């Protein structure tokens, strides 16, 4: 199985720099998405984040910190998805400008 990014290559390094530049806002979003993914798999998120167990409602709780460590690859994956979306939206905007839109 191929990883979602290659560590140490130019794209992997670009992603790491982008992720670092986005800081805590991106990290919290990616963490939220990873928790939501797991809660949906467990069927504990039928009503969105409000239906998660209460210990997961506070992003600074010990439970969330433990989850973040144990699911670091899922959190990274969700950050990577945001990077791809930003890249693709930028390419679409550039193509639209070049086409005179």
């Amino acid at each position: 199985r191929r990883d979602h990014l290659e560590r140490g290559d130019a794209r992997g390094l670009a992603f790491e720099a982008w992720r670092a530049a986005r800081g805590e806002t991106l990290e919290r979003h990616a963490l939220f998405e990873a928790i939501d993914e797991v809660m949906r798999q467990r069927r504990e998120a039928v009503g969105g984040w409000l239906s998660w167990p209460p210990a997961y409602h506070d992003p600074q709780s010990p439970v969330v910190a433990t989850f973040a460590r144990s699911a670091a690859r899922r959190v990274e994956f969700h950050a990577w998805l945001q990077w791809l979306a930003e890249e693709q939206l930028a390419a679409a905007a550039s193509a639209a400008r070049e086409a005179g839109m």
Side-chain angles (χ1 to χ4, degrees), residues 5 12 14 16 19-20 28 30 35-36 43-45 50-51 60 66 72 87 95 101:
L5 66 101
E16 293 299 329
R19 186 177 181 190
R28 283 204 175 180
I35 293 170
D36 193 57
R43 308 240 187 260
E44 292 185 50
L50 291 173
S51 62
Q60 296 182 5
T66 298
E87 273 194 329
M101 296 178 81

Side-chain angles (χ1 to χ4, degrees), residues 9-40:
D9 72 357
R11 281 193 53 82
L13 293 172
F15 166 68
E16 293 299 329
W18 176 87
R19 186 177 181 190
R22 296 307 180 273
E24 186 177 349
T25 301
L26 172 66
E27 293 307 310
R28 283 204 175 180
H29 174 75
L31 177 58
F32 174 91
E33 293 295 343
I35 293 170
D36 193 57
E37 177 184 22
V38 169
M39 293 300 160
R40 288 180 188 281

Side-chain angles (χ1 to χ4, degrees), residues 32 35 38-39 42 44 49 52-61 63-68:
F32 174 91
I35 293 170
V38 169
M39 293 300 160
R42 293 181 190 165
E44 292 185 50
W49 73 272
W52 298 354
Y56 288 88
H57 290 189
D58 178 0
Q60 296 182 5
S61 76
V63 170
V64 172
T66 298
F67 177 90

Side-chain angles (χ1 to χ4, degrees), residues 89-101:
L89 288 170
S94 178
R97 278 191 302 279
E98 289 175 16
M101 296 178 81

